[in-house]
Amino acid sequence: MPTQLFHGSMYAQNELMPGFKRSGKKVEWDGVESNEYLYATTDRETAISQGFASALEKLFPMERFRTEGDDIEIYVKGAPPSNDQLKKITVHLYTLKALPHDLWRKNNNKVNGLDTEWVTQNTICDGIVKRESINMADWLNGRSITFYKHTETNAQSNIVHHTPLTRFFS
C-alpha cells in the first residue's frame, strides 16, 4: 500500500467520504465504478483531473470524461461550457496519508486503465494531510479539450453520433 495518496474534489471539506454516504443515491460511471467508493491516486495530476471531471459532472450535463496527457475529451449532452466557465471551476487537491484503518485497496479498473488508483468505503479524517486550491486557469494552460456533443442516435442500430469541437488553452 502506498504511504501517500491524492484526491481531487470541488468541495472543501474536513472529512472525505464516498458520495453515496452524503447523497444516499448510488451513481455508476463506467459500469465498474460508482459513488459507493472514495477514489484516490498516487499521481497528483490524475487526482486534479479526476476532481475536474467530478466538478464537470455536477455542473454540466455530461456523458463521459477522458484524459491522456494534456488532451482532455468531454462528451456533453447539451452545449459545452465556455472557456471562462471551465477556468472558474473549483478543484481542491487533498494530500492523504494512507492509514491502515482507512482500508484503502487497489482499484484495478480495467475500463479506465489507471494503475495508480485506490478506493475505500470509509470516511477519511485523520488521513488528510493538506488541502490546496488548484488554479484551473493555470492548470488548463497548454491543454486541449475536445468536446463531443451528442448529435443523434440511430434508433435501428442504437449507435450514438457525436460532433467534435476542440479548444486549446494558452
Side-chain angles (χ1 to χ4, degrees), residues 2 75 136 141:
Y75 291 76
M136 292 313 294
N141 190 31

Side-chain angles (χ1 to χ4, degrees), residues 13 15-22 37-38 122-124:
Q13 300 167 331
E15 61 181 14
L16 300 173
M17 66 180 70
F20 179 78
K21 284 187 173 183
R22 290 195 194 278
Y37 293 93
L38 177 68
N122 291 322
T123 299
I124 307 303

Side-chain angles (χ1 to χ4, degrees), residues 117-169:
E117 193 171 50
W118 293 75
V119 297
T120 185
Q121 290 186 304
N122 291 322
T123 299
I124 307 303
C125 299
D126 299 338
I128 299 174
V129 175
K130 178 172 76 168
R131 182 184 75 223
E132 59 187 290
S133 294
I134 302 300
N135 181 318
M136 292 313 294
D138 290 345
W139 186 79
L140 288 166
N141 190 31
R143 298 178 195 271
S144 71
I145 296 183
T146 302
F147 291 97
Y148 291 91
K149 185 176 179 185
H150 184 132
T151 52
E152 71 176 273
T153 302
N154 182 320
Q156 291 177 341
S157 64
N158 207 25
I159 295 175
V160 178
H161 297 277
H162 293 88
T163 303
L165 166 67
T166 302
R167 296 186 195 153
F168 296 94
F169 284 82

